[in-house]
Amino acid sequence: QDAAVAVEGSTDEKGELRFADLEIGATYILNEVETLPGFALGADARDLEIKVTDTTEIVKRFVNSPSPATVSVHKTDDRGH
């Protein structure tokens, strides 16, 4: 069964995202669903469980790698064939 979306957000210009007022004792599942063009979501970007046990800041890092590029070459002779 899919869980309800409790909070959503987007990273700032530094790539940081902060949530405030999360319920102490609750468990949240963090999913990165989109990244910048030219990058692939990291394997660690899905279903990251976060248990809020107190008011201490929890830091999680995701690393998105550049997507592989594709280069096509069409070779012709001096007559364009």
Side-chain angles (χ1 to χ4, degrees), residues 25-72:
T27 300
Y28 295 87
I29 305 296
L30 181 62
N31 285 299
E32 184 176 23
V33 296
E34 186 177 11
T35 188
L36 294 174
F39 286 84
L41 291 175
D44 60 349
R46 304 300 271 163
D47 298 328
L48 177 65
E49 186 174 293
I50 298 172
K51 175 83 172 170
V52 180
T53 57
D54 57 31
T55 58
T56 304
E57 183 174 340
I58 300 169
V59 177
K60 301 293 181 184
R61 298 190 191 285
F62 294 128
V63 177
N64 295 328
S65 302
S67 296
T70 301
V71 176
S72 297

Side-chain angles (χ1 to χ4, degrees), residues 5 9 18 28 35 42 56 79 81:
V5 175
R18 294 178 183 270
Y28 295 87
T35 188
T56 304
R79 293 176 287 180
H81 297 101

